[in-house]
Amino acid sequence: MRGWIVLALVGLAAQLVDGSLGMAYGVTSTTLLIASGTSPALASASVHLAEIGTTLASGASHWRFGNVDWRIVGRLAVPGAVGSFLGATALSSLSTEAAAPYMAGVLLALGVYVGVRFTTGSLVRRPGRLRSRFLVPVGLFGGFLDASGGGGWGPVATPALLGSGRVEPRKVVGSVDTSEFVVAVAASLGFLLGLGTAGLDLVVVSALLVGGVVAAPVAAWVVRYLPARVLGAAVGGVIVVTNVRTLLRAFDVEGSAGVWVYPLLALLWAGAVVYAVRRHRRERALGQDAGWGPGEGSGEDEGERELTAARS
């Protein structure tokens, strides 16, 4: 029972992060599962099975609050499903020994990206529209990386859509989270075909599912008070440190390298968090704090702004 509660807390924490940043549920929960001894393929399979429920709850909530652009969902979800199915098949064919360093490398790269993106990147974007020729490759790559790397749909899709400068952030987060339901279903089918049900622990899946569903509405409340920039820096550090540890173990250099690697990572992590806090305060003082999730700015979409301009 104690183990189930711990796993439920892992799912809860991961969903809080995902609900605040629009990404990192898979990266966070997969990283923690692998750190606890779960094989990479089973960790990713468990997370994606749990995500079927968590993404459904998250997508329904975003739809209820008008944060979903169904044109984006349709053009993003289908290629995302194809990519995730292929990624699940690829990961299922790797041995545990071969998959461990590969998975850690992918998660490490995603952790660095999340940390750098939210610590130093600009979070302000301008609204607009996106075309299929942009969304299809984003969906394919994000879906493949999500299944094969244990996470990556949010870290790929959310910044890509925001970086295009054509969709307001609340609809980016809502549309990406809603389309992730289809991605999770496709990845789960791929893992079930590749791995079967042998070794799949439904206790792990249920714990992650319950924790994620409970956290889904809480995340919407947390994001109002916890700056996304600071949270992104902190979470990126957790992912980086954990996966560096896995890589050092995989290459049998943890003892010799750990003496200087871990203190260096700790200093960089602390520095990133401090810098994120200071930058958030400076942006808030200058009126430039944009946030990252639903509710950013006025909440008006492009049509509402055009109508307002026409009336004036």
Side-chain angles (χ1 to χ4, degrees):
M1 184 62 182
R2 179 179 299 178
W4 189 93
I5 293 175
V6 171
L7 288 171
L9 291 175
V10 168
L12 187 145
Q15 183 59 42
L16 286 176
V17 172
D18 189 82
S20 300
L21 302 181
M23 63 178 71
Y25 177 88
V27 177
T28 305
S29 53
T30 302
T31 293
L32 295 176
L33 284 179
I34 292 177
S36 68
T38 306
S39 71
L42 286 177
S44 187
S46 300
V47 168
H48 282 90
L49 281 173
E51 278 186 324
I52 292 177
T54 60
T55 55
L56 181 61
S58 180
S61 299
H62 282 299
W63 168 74
R64 181 75 179 272
F65 289 103
N67 296 331
V68 178
D69 186 329
W70 291 105
R71 291 174 299 181
I72 293 178
V73 172
R75 297 172 184 176
L76 195 63
V78 174
V82 173
S84 65
F85 184 85
L86 295 175
T89 304
L91 184 60
S92 299
S93 64
L94 295 177
S95 67
T96 300
E97 292 76 13
Y102 160 77
M103 177 80 85
V106 172
L107 292 172
L108 174 61
L110 290 173
V112 171
Y113 178 81
V114 170
V116 172
R117 174 67 178 174
F118 283 91
T119 302
T120 64
S122 173
L123 305 184
V124 180
R125 298 290 180 244
R126 293 177 297 178
R129 286 188 177 184
L130 296 173
R131 297 181 180 273
S132 297
R133 63 188 180 189
F134 172 79
L135 293 171
V136 169
V138 168
L140 282 171
F141 180 68
F144 184 87
L145 187 60
D146 186 73
S148 63
W153 178 252
V156 170
T158 300
L161 268 62
L162 284 171
S164 69
R166 297 180 179 179
V167 183
E168 59 179 313
R170 70 182 182 95
K171 290 198 173 182
V172 167
V173 175
S175 301
V176 169
D177 281 359
T178 301
S179 59
E180 191 173 9
F181 169 74
V182 181
V183 174
V185 171
S188 298
L189 290 175
F191 281 119
L192 290 175
L193 290 175
L195 298 173
T197 57
L200 190 63
D201 193 343
L202 294 180
V203 173
V204 174
V205 176
S206 65
L208 292 175
L209 174 60
V210 171
V213 170
V214 169
V218 178
W221 177 82
V222 171
V223 73
R224 296 187 302 172
Y225 301 99
L226 188 60
R229 189 177 293 283
V230 178
L231 184 59
V235 171
V238 172
I239 297 171
V240 168
V241 171
T242 305
N243 287 288
V244 164
R245 179 171 174 266
T246 300
L247 285 173
L248 292 179
R249 283 187 170 185
F251 294 102
D252 296 323
V253 294
E254 184 181 23
S256 57
V259 176
W260 61 271
V261 170
Y262 293 134
L264 177 61
L265 287 177
L267 287 174
L268 291 174
W269 187 7
V273 172
V274 171
Y275 178 83
V277 170
R278 290 180 175 177
R279 182 164 179 178
H280 167 71
R281 290 177 175 175
R282 183 169 63 250
E283 289 173 340
R284 185 174 61 181
L286 295 174
Q288 299 174 346
D289 181 27
W292 185 264
E296 176 183 342
S298 66
E300 295 180 328
D301 60 20
E302 185 181 15
E304 291 171 338
R305 273 186 288 270
E306 292 176 351
L307 181 60
T308 301
R311 289 176 177 173
S312 60

